[in-house]
Amino acid sequence: MDIDIKELIKTATENLNLKDFKGDVVAVKVVENEFGTIESGGIGVQNVYHGGEADTMPSTSTDSTDVTDMEDIELCHFIHPSVTNDRERIQIHREIENLVRCNTIPNICLYLNQMAEVSRILLPIEPVSALKELRRMGMPGEDKEGFTYKNFSKYYRK
């Protein structure tokens, strides 16, 4: 399966709404040589903070997930049973929340499949159950263009 990284980045960034986003924004930087081809090691991840002043930018500590913040929140039902660390469970929950708020159905399904392949989540067999849970976590409803059940079931688990 060949994925055009430039198209993936373009699609992901076109649909980002950072107005209500809480957390780190991660950008993927593609480095091309003068012939327009990506060199080996030319893809890197870079933290980008939009609109923040030096004193309001998030700390750079690696332990940014606070378990006490999430005690009253119902975590995502997809989290794999083998994930027992509370911090990792919360991180997966937040990843899925941010994913469903800022992406299209094909991108959401692609990322969910990738997370399932590495045993971070378990996806339900029926798309109805998955769609219900994703909507609970903040995915737009049927009224938003492209977020219908028919479109979701076309891309789910493919």
Side-chain angles (χ1 to χ4, degrees):
M1 176 170 143
D2 289 306
I3 297 174
D4 184 8
I5 198 77
K6 286 183 187 179
E7 283 300 315
L8 185 62
I9 293 168
K10 180 181 173 192
T11 304
T13 56
E14 284 176 351
N15 298 314
L16 286 178
N17 178 7
L18 299 175
K19 187 175 115 185
D20 296 336
F21 184 78
K22 293 176 177 77
D24 294 343
V25 178
V26 177
V28 177
K29 186 176 184 181
V30 178
V31 180
E32 295 180 351
N33 64 15
E34 61 270 3
F35 302 109
T37 57
I38 298 173
E39 304 211 355
S40 61
I43 298 175
V45 177
Q46 167 186 352
N47 284 333
V48 179
Y49 301 101
H50 294 281
E53 307 247 342
D55 54 55
T56 62
M57 288 175 63
S59 68
T60 57
S61 70
T62 57
D63 191 18
S64 64
T65 306
D66 189 11
V67 176
T68 58
D69 287 2
M70 302 294 287
E71 287 179 354
D72 299 331
I73 296 174
E74 183 180 356
L75 291 178
C76 177
H77 299 159
F78 297 160
I79 298 174
H80 200 282
S82 67
V83 179
T84 56
N85 184 338
D86 286 341
R87 293 192 190 286
E88 190 174 349
R89 294 172 64 84
I90 292 168
Q91 180 186 7
I92 292 169
H93 174 82
R94 287 184 178 161
E95 279 181 46
I96 295 173
E97 271 186 338
N98 291 334
L99 175 72
V100 298
R101 289 186 182 138
C102 302
N103 277 300
T104 62
I105 292 287
N107 290 340
I108 291 169
C109 291
L110 177 68
Y111 192 75
L112 289 174
N113 287 331
Q114 290 172 352
M115 289 177 76
E117 286 176 9
V118 294
S119 299
R120 293 184 74 199
I121 61 173
L122 278 175
L123 292 175
I125 295 171
E126 292 296 319
V128 174
S129 303
L131 186 61
K132 183 178 178 184
E133 175 65 7
L134 293 173
R135 289 222 170 105
R136 183 188 71 83
M137 294 185 69
M139 189 168 86
E142 294 275 335
D143 57 336
K144 183 148 185 207
E145 185 179 336
F147 285 87
T148 61
Y149 170 75
K150 183 179 178 183
N151 193 26
F152 180 76
S153 62
K154 181 170 66 173
Y155 292 101
Y156 183 68
R157 295 182 68 123
K158 302 287 185 228

